[in-house]
Amino acid sequence: MPLLLLLALVGATPEVPTEEAPLPARHELAPPLLHAWPIPVENRATPANWWLPAVETVGFVAALNLFNRNFSSDPTYQVTPRTAWNQVTSRWGWDGDGFLTNQFAHPYQGSLFFNMSRSLGHGFWWSAGNATVGSYLWEVAGELEPPSFNDQITTTVSGAFLGEILFRLSSRILDAGGAAPSVGQQLAAAAVSPVAGLNRVLYGNTYRPYGFTSHPAFGRLKLGFQTAADLSPSPTGFTSRIRQVSLGGELVYGIPVGDWPFELPFDAFDITVDVALNEKASTRDAIGILSIHGLLAGTSYGSGRSRGLWGLFGTYDFITPAAFRASSAAFGPGTTGQLLLGGPFAVQGTAIASVGFGAGGATAFGTRDYHFGLQAVGYGSAQLFLEDRLRLRVTGRQYFTSGNLSPEPESWERTSFTQASLLWRVWGLHALGVEWSGARRAAFYPRLPVIAGRSNQLEFFYSLLSDRGMGLGRLVE
């Protein structure tokens, strides 16, 4: 995932001078990507195709089943027309696969279904419907396991959110090359969204949207060293210290200050990615973070020194730090905005309260793997800027995973994650930073002792920025 952000940033970022120019006035601070694309809305060469997405969706389900049937010893892929019909008429249940499979692999599969429609000219909501259909086809005709509610939800909802971001990043790379992007840009765009890349090979620019990635964006890549992680759950009192290298990045698209419209789903979004590069990086116990927030419907507010946007947000989180983990597919109201303070200071803030379906659990202690169910999610972030030199950010996430819509109705999980970071732009696009991360967990399961614990982690990192603005949007006085 960090490489996907890198491809998007490299493919879309203008050339940076070798010497630092004088700092602009506070009201002139703005990412240089602000005017990179003059067309603010989608402009298609031809209308959307209505039959190719169905062909690709059915073909993908059949091809994936055949691949697993021939290269896996698992009998669950020995599907026949009779078993498929039995799946259609059978009762739905719950899938107990591992956390990585259920909470990330299924959403990624959903993003493929989503982009089989999105890359052929359809909008967000119709493409989300294609993810729903594709997930259902896999549940009844792709495997012998009973159809599961949790797979249908995460594949559809999280898959649509992830799929839209991958489609926009891919389109952003192509837009950087105009009507005739280079071979390198086309390969980079295909690496970000393989389905969109395949359809571009098959149909060229026929269904490509032009210029709809026109909103300003800020991104950064991060290479860090994490240390001093104390994991102290009761009743075991277990303590561990880890030292590991991490690779990550963040992208904020549609900075909520300016005169651009927010008309389409995900015209404003943020994505954060962080992966620990250790001996578990290629296993199911990999440690990392994937967090997405996108504006589904809303409008901007304010003018002059204070501007922002509010509306309905969609959230997809997949968080697996050293000790505890949580995942969510949720919807809820939220707001994000920016305020010019006195002197060289400005603040940005985001608050989202959501309801959805998700999971929570532990990774290190063996007391419980994870539990899924109906979920309440809270997210808040506050940033203080000193010109474009320093950024202090505090972020909090809270997940309460109930026993509703769950095979374990008497169980629950409550997990919270807190981060505080300081980013210092040393020179040009190069920055150094430090971040503290803390997590707390409480859980209840029948016939088990009360589960409670906490973890702390400190990280020192280097960041390569996409521009000198550090995410500080245009301020009009």
Side-chain angles (χ1 to χ4, degrees), residues 234-300:
S234 63
T236 64
F238 177 79
T239 300
S240 175
R241 294 183 181 274
I242 63 171
R243 289 176 174 81
Q244 59 195 16
V245 175
S246 68
L247 178 64
E250 66 171 299
L251 178 64
V252 180
Y253 178 87
I255 296 173
V257 182
D259 299 322
W260 40 88
F262 296 93
E263 299 176 338
L264 303 172
F266 280 74
D267 271 351
F269 69 81
D270 65 82
I271 176 172
T272 301
V273 180
D274 201 348
V275 178
L277 304 179
N278 55 24
E279 67 279 1
K280 298 180 179 180
S282 61
T283 72
R284 295 186 178 184
D285 297 322
I287 297 173
I289 293 174
L290 171 60
S291 178
I292 290 171
H293 305 98
L295 181 68
L296 297 172
T299 187
S300 58

Side-chain angles (χ1 to χ4, degrees), residues 2 181 259 279 350 470 477:
D259 299 322
E279 67 279 1
T350 301
M470 297 179 67
E477 295 185 285

Side-chain angles (χ1 to χ4, degrees), residues 79-91:
V79 176
T80 67
R82 179 180 294 275
T83 62
W85 175 249
N86 291 337
Q87 295 282 63
V88 171
T89 58
S90 67
R91 296 185 60 180

Side-chain angles (χ1 to χ4, degrees), residues 104-424:
F104 177 74
H106 283 300
Y108 185 76
Q109 181 175 329
S111 75
L112 300 179
F113 291 132
F114 176 91
N115 277 316
M116 289 169 194
S117 175
R118 192 75 171 97
S119 63
L120 290 172
H122 293 281
F124 174 85
W125 295 110
W126 187 268
S127 300
N130 197 69
T132 304
V133 173
S135 176
Y136 177 79
L137 287 176
W138 179 257
E139 290 296 309
V140 300
E143 56 187 359
L144 296 179
E145 293 180 356
S148 60
F149 294 109
N150 52 314
D151 284 353
Q152 184 71 41
I153 294 171
T154 56
T155 304
T156 297
V157 180
S158 299
F161 297 162
L162 179 59
E164 177 67 14
I165 286 184
L166 296 181
F167 179 76
R168 283 179 177 262
L169 293 181
S170 177
S171 298
R172 191 175 183 88
I173 296 171
L174 294 176
D175 281 353
S182 68
V183 174
Q185 288 169 324
Q186 294 183 56
L187 292 175
V192 173
S193 179
V195 171
L198 175 61
N199 282 335
R200 179 171 168 75
V201 170
L202 295 175
Y203 312 112
N205 285 329
T206 303
Y207 302 103
R208 176 187 167 190
Y210 290 92
F212 89 113
T213 58
S214 59
H215 292 68
F218 166 76
R220 69 181 181 96
L221 295 175
K222 183 193 73 171
L223 179 65
F225 177 73
Q226 301 171 347
T227 185
D230 296 328
L231 319 177
S232 306
S234 63
T236 64
F238 177 79
T239 300
S240 175
R241 294 183 181 274
I242 63 171
R243 289 176 174 81
Q244 59 195 16
V245 175
S246 68
L247 178 64
E250 66 171 299
L251 178 64
V252 180
Y253 178 87
I255 296 173
V257 182
D259 299 322
W260 40 88
F262 296 93
E263 299 176 338
L264 303 172
F266 280 74
D267 271 351
F269 69 81
D270 65 82
I271 176 172
T272 301
V273 180
D274 201 348
V275 178
L277 304 179
N278 55 24
E279 67 279 1
K280 298 180 179 180
S282 61
T283 72
R284 295 186 178 184
D285 297 322
I287 297 173
I289 293 174
L290 171 60
S291 178
I292 290 171
H293 305 98
L295 181 68
L296 297 172
T299 187
S300 58
Y301 59 80
S303 62
R305 298 162 61 91
S306 174
R307 292 191 177 190
L309 57 89
W310 70 275
L312 177 67
F313 282 79
T315 296
Y316 167 47
D317 289 334
F318 176 81
I319 301 180
T320 59
F324 313 127
R325 54 191 179 182
S327 179
S328 182
F331 300 85
T335 182
T336 183
Q338 181 172 291
L339 172 66
L340 174 66
L341 302 176
F345 298 101
V347 295
Q348 286 182 357
T350 301
I352 305 173
S354 305
V355 176
F357 185 86
T363 62
F365 315 115
T367 54
R368 187 71 185 183
D369 190 12
Y370 76 99
H371 162 82
F372 52 81
L374 191 65
Q375 196 175 60
V377 182
Y379 172 80
S381 177
Q383 302 182 96
L384 174 65
F385 292 85
L386 175 61
E387 294 284 359
D388 67 343
R389 280 291 174 186
L390 290 174
R391 185 188 76 175
L392 175 64
R393 180 170 66 180
V394 178
T395 301
R397 311 168 192 270
Q398 176 85 35
Y399 306 87
F400 178 77
T401 308
S402 71
N404 298 315
L405 292 181
S406 170
E408 303 169 304
E410 298 179 1
S411 303
W412 54 264
E413 288 266 354
R414 184 174 65 246
T415 313
S416 62
F417 301 91
T418 306
Q419 294 177 315
S421 66
L422 180 65
L423 182 66
W424 172 36

